[in-house]
Amino acid sequence: MKIVILETPEHVAQYGAELISKQLASKPASVLGLATGSTPVALYNELIARCRTSEVSFSQATTFNLDEYLGLDAQHPQSYRYFMDKHLFNQVNIDPANTYVPNGTSADPIAECEAYELKLEKAGGVDLQLLGLGHNGHIGFNEPTSSLGSRTRIKTLTPETIKANQRFFSEGEFQPTLAITMGIGTIMESKQVVLLATGAAKSDAVVEMIEGPIAARCPASILQLHPKVTVILDRAASQGLENSCFYELTEARNQELLHHRQSRSQSR
Ligand code: GLP
């Protein structure tokens, strides 16, 4: 795991946007795995700004979102399809036909999960998967004790997750307790993973993910087995890490090497 600790959530968004920009520059027809939640919004804003100045282009990209609430249609303001249209797709040059989010109102949700996996396979799999982190260590909607080999399926949300996401729903409004989510096995097949976590409320989950054992009680800990993961944290989210000095030293060295390589290639 490459651990990057930055001062603020804005720095986290910039760093993450740079990784996605690089991915799209090196492979314009990339398949991106995308996430919802409040954490990636600043990163999406940065990508929108870069798209407006033609620094990045989504014209050939395809996207697959991690999850969707069961029971909310695309027009529902709390659906993840609505969220993605609003926060990214409607503001960049992506072909809407190339944006996939599980259908939360499918007449046959089990078939929808199987079809989602097939579509992903047909697209060639995810090149870069963006992830947030639940307070309980979930990724997508893979709650603690989810099978570490799971595929796209319907999951029951924990009371903790329902409570954490309550802030998006108005009082008395129907809040789903089930969701369709890519599985942990599905996520692990991505060629590259970029996980963002900001704020002190995520610090316990961050410790378990990075320095704890690989265990289904913290689904994100499975990322320790992935060969290409970048975890980008702000200072507050990193506060519980035992080895944060080592991660910062390593990242500083990586940056030095990068600058060295860049200045050598420029002087040639
Ligand atoms: C939801 C989403 C996750 C997201 C998590 C954290 O449960 N299904 O993909 O990572 O929330 O959200 P936030 O970034 O708002 O803390």
Side-chain angles (χ1 to χ4, degrees), residues 34-41 66-69 80 130-136 138-143 157 161 164-165 167-168 179 181 196-198 202:
L34 297 179
T36 53
S38 42
T39 313
V41 171
L66 282 167
D67 45 14
E68 179 60 284
Y69 285 117
Y80 284 171
L130 180 66
L131 294 175
L133 181 66
H135 295 87
N136 58 10
H138 75 219
I139 45 177
F141 267 135
N142 293 286
E143 297 283 33
L157 307 181
T161 297
N165 289 339
R167 67 193 195 278
F168 298 111
T181 181
L196 314 180
T198 57
K202 298 286 172 71

Side-chain angles (χ1 to χ4, degrees), residues 37 41 44-45 48 82-91:
V41 171
Y44 292 150
N45 287 339
I48 292 164
Y82 189 97
F83 175 102
M84 289 308 300
D85 286 346
K86 179 176 167 193
H87 290 286
L88 186 69
F89 301 148
N90 290 347
Q91 303 195 63

